[in-house]
Amino acid sequence: MRGLGELEAKVMDVLWSAEKPLRVRDVLARLDQSRPLAYTTVMTVLDNLHGKDYVRRNKAGRAYEYTAADSREEVGARLLRDVLYSSGEVEQVLLHFAESATPEESDILRRALRKGESS
C-alpha cells in the first residue's frame, strides 16, 4: 500500500467524516481550501485514491459516488505494517519501538496484548 500525499489525506479526511457517499463536487465543497482547487484536480485525486484501493466508487447516474474503503484506523494500521515490513528487520524495529514507547503508548500496547490473549 502506498502512502497518502497532502491533498489525498485531506480528501480522505472528508470521506471519513462523511455520513454518505460523496460526488466529486461534494468533496470539493467540503475541502478546507487554503488555495482554490479545480474540480478536475479533486476528480484526479479521487481516481488515484481509487487506484490505490483507498476509496470505493459506484456509478450514480453519469457521475461516481465515493466512500472510504476502510476506516482511518485500518488504513493507519496498514501503513504502519508497511513501514515495519519495509525495514527488513521487523523484530528489531518492534523492539526499538517498544523500548522507546511513551508510557501512554506502552499502556495501549499492554491492553492490546491482554485483549489478544483473552480472545
Side-chain angles (χ1 to χ4, degrees):
M1 173 179 285
R2 295 161 279 182
L4 294 172
E6 183 180 342
L7 185 53
E8 289 176 326
K10 289 178 180 180
V11 168
M12 288 304 301
D13 284 340
V14 168
L15 293 176
W16 280 319
S17 65
E19 296 178 10
K20 62 180 184 152
L22 300 176
R23 294 179 182 212
V24 174
R25 70 173 181 266
D26 302 323
V27 173
L28 179 60
R30 293 178 186 203
L31 281 170
D32 177 23
Q33 298 180 36
S34 55
R35 66 180 207 274
L37 291 173
Y39 176 93
T40 54
T41 300
V42 176
M43 183 173 63
T44 299
V45 169
L46 284 163
D47 188 56
N48 291 341
L49 289 168
H50 179 258
K52 293 179 179 182
D53 295 325
Y54 280 95
V55 301
R56 291 189 186 101
R57 67 182 178 195
N58 291 308
K59 202 75 153 146
R62 292 178 32 193
Y64 284 111
E65 290 182 331
Y66 294 87
T67 57
D70 297 301
S71 71
R72 182 187 311 268
E73 296 78 12
E74 290 167 325
V75 169
R78 272 199 309 273
L79 290 172
L80 283 172
R81 185 167 284 116
D82 287 349
V83 169
L84 179 65
Y85 281 92
S86 71
S87 72
E89 297 289 337
V90 174
E91 183 176 354
Q92 293 301 321
V93 172
L94 280 174
L95 290 172
H96 181 71
F97 178 78
E99 290 168 359
S100 64
T102 66
E104 294 82 15
E105 292 165 344
S106 294
D107 288 343
I108 293 167
L109 290 170
R110 281 189 200 93
R111 284 195 309 268
L113 289 171
R114 282 193 295 270
K115 187 176 176 182
E117 290 172 355
S118 65
S119 296

